[in-house]
Amino acid sequence: SQVPRCSGARAGVELRDVEQRREQRRERGHRRANALHEIVADLQAQYGPAHYARIDTRVVQQLPKQEVVKRLSDIVLASLILVLITPVLLAIAIGVKLSSPGPAIFRQRRNGLDGEEIIVYKFRSMYVDQCDAAATRLVQKGDPRVTRVGAFIRKTSIDELPQLWNVVRGDMSLVGPRPEREHFVTELSQKIPYYNQRHLVKPGLTGWAQINYRYGSTFEDSVRKLQYDIFYIKNQSLLF
């Protein structure tokens, strides 16, 4: 059979796309490494070198490769988890629908990698007319906007499970700083040094801050969680 004459040109375009993506990963890795060097140097100057070890240059060189492997593991694990918990997701969706009229899934704008806007998916926990897509109002204990089912899924964090689809799509990773709302990013970045460095990596379904620190919505909580996020970004590896 005759090979179409345009196949060579198409292959050339695809090859350039691959090289461009590789270069973007390298640039992102170097940008992240340089930013981390600046953060660590400043923290060492303030608190002493004993608290913040220097970044190994070998780790910096491995950043682009780690991103590829991390992405592949995210796709495999998130897809597997989605398949295994499909009955649970359906049960939660039915519970949300029965608790109040409206869709089971709620879409919300958050800041992702490099501060770019992403759409994250959550099980709806509030009454439809009280939902805030921009999330400019924090939820308080006993908040009347939250449904009874919503209170349970928020307390157990299972309202975040639809974000496994964000992981498969590539908007998020399984592990990383939690994606924050633009309103609060703008506010906190003006008050907390290095807050925007959270965006050096993809946001995560869960993070080191969520594992080691309680849920909190105060300014002091944000500072503490940022410390855990920076620790993760600086020390992350294929096993962490």
Side-chain angles (χ1 to χ4, degrees):
S1 60
Q2 187 176 1
V3 178
R5 288 183 297 176
C6 63
S7 60
R10 184 181 303 137
V13 171
E14 292 176 352
L15 182 59
R16 285 196 297 272
D17 289 341
V18 171
E19 290 297 330
Q20 186 177 24
R21 287 195 293 270
R22 286 178 179 173
E23 183 60 31
Q24 289 174 345
R25 285 197 298 268
R26 283 194 292 267
E27 290 178 359
R28 188 162 58 245
H30 290 309
R31 185 170 66 252
R32 186 175 72 187
N34 291 335
L36 289 174
H37 275 300
E38 293 178 5
I39 294 172
V40 172
D42 190 35
L43 293 175
Q44 283 179 328
Q46 292 185 51
Y47 303 105
H51 293 83
Y52 296 92
R54 293 189 179 279
I55 301 173
D56 193 328
T57 56
R58 290 173 297 179
V59 175
V60 175
Q61 295 170 355
Q62 294 172 2
L63 288 176
K65 185 184 297 184
Q66 286 182 6
E67 288 187 357
V68 174
V69 177
K70 193 170 190 288
R71 175 65 186 135
L72 291 175
S73 63
D74 280 342
I75 294 174
V76 172
L77 291 175
S79 300
L80 179 61
I81 295 172
L82 275 173
V83 171
L84 293 176
I85 68 171
T86 294
V88 177
L89 297 176
L90 290 175
I92 298 171
I94 293 172
V96 171
K97 292 283 290 183
L98 292 176
S99 68
S100 66
I105 300 295
F106 178 60
R107 300 179 1 142
Q108 195 173 69
R109 295 187 296 273
R110 297 288 179 103
N111 282 30
L113 180 66
D114 294 329
E116 295 182 359
E117 182 181 283
I118 61 173
I119 300 296
V120 301
Y121 300 92
K122 306 177 67 173
F123 282 119
R124 181 175 57 82
S125 60
M126 297 183 182
Y127 296 100
V128 172
D129 60 345
Q130 297 294 324
C131 288
D132 181 7
T136 55
R137 296 170 56 192
L138 291 173
V139 177
Q140 306 295 332
K141 186 176 181 179
D143 199 312
R145 297 175 296 166
V146 179
T147 66
R148 284 189 297 178
V149 171
F152 171 74
I153 63 177
R154 290 183 70 91
K155 184 177 181 179
T156 55
S157 296
I158 59 179
D159 62 322
E160 311 285 0
L161 288 178
Q163 289 166 31
L164 284 164
W165 178 241
N166 285 107
V167 176
V168 175
R169 281 166 46 98
D171 302 322
M172 296 173 58
S173 180
L174 286 173
V175 181
R178 286 292 296 154
E180 191 51 271
R181 293 140 289 191
E182 184 174 3
H183 171 78
F184 294 112
V185 169
T186 301
E187 179 181 343
L188 292 173
S189 61
Q190 295 173 352
K191 299 177 180 178
I192 305 176
Y194 308 118
Y195 188 83
N196 278 324
Q197 305 306 329
R198 302 171 75 256
H199 304 132
L200 290 169
V201 296
K202 286 182 180 180
L205 182 64
T206 188
W208 194 236
Q210 283 64 47
I211 294 173
N212 291 276
Y213 194 73
R214 67 181 188 279
Y215 175 82
S217 57
T218 66
F219 175 79
E220 290 73 18
D221 291 330
S222 298
V223 173
R224 289 295 302 277
K225 286 188 286 187
L226 177 63
Q227 293 173 352
Y228 284 111
D229 288 336
I230 290 179
F231 177 86
Y232 171 78
I233 296 171
K234 186 170 78 72
N235 294 281
Q236 69 168 319
S237 66
L238 300 181
L239 299 177
F240 178 59

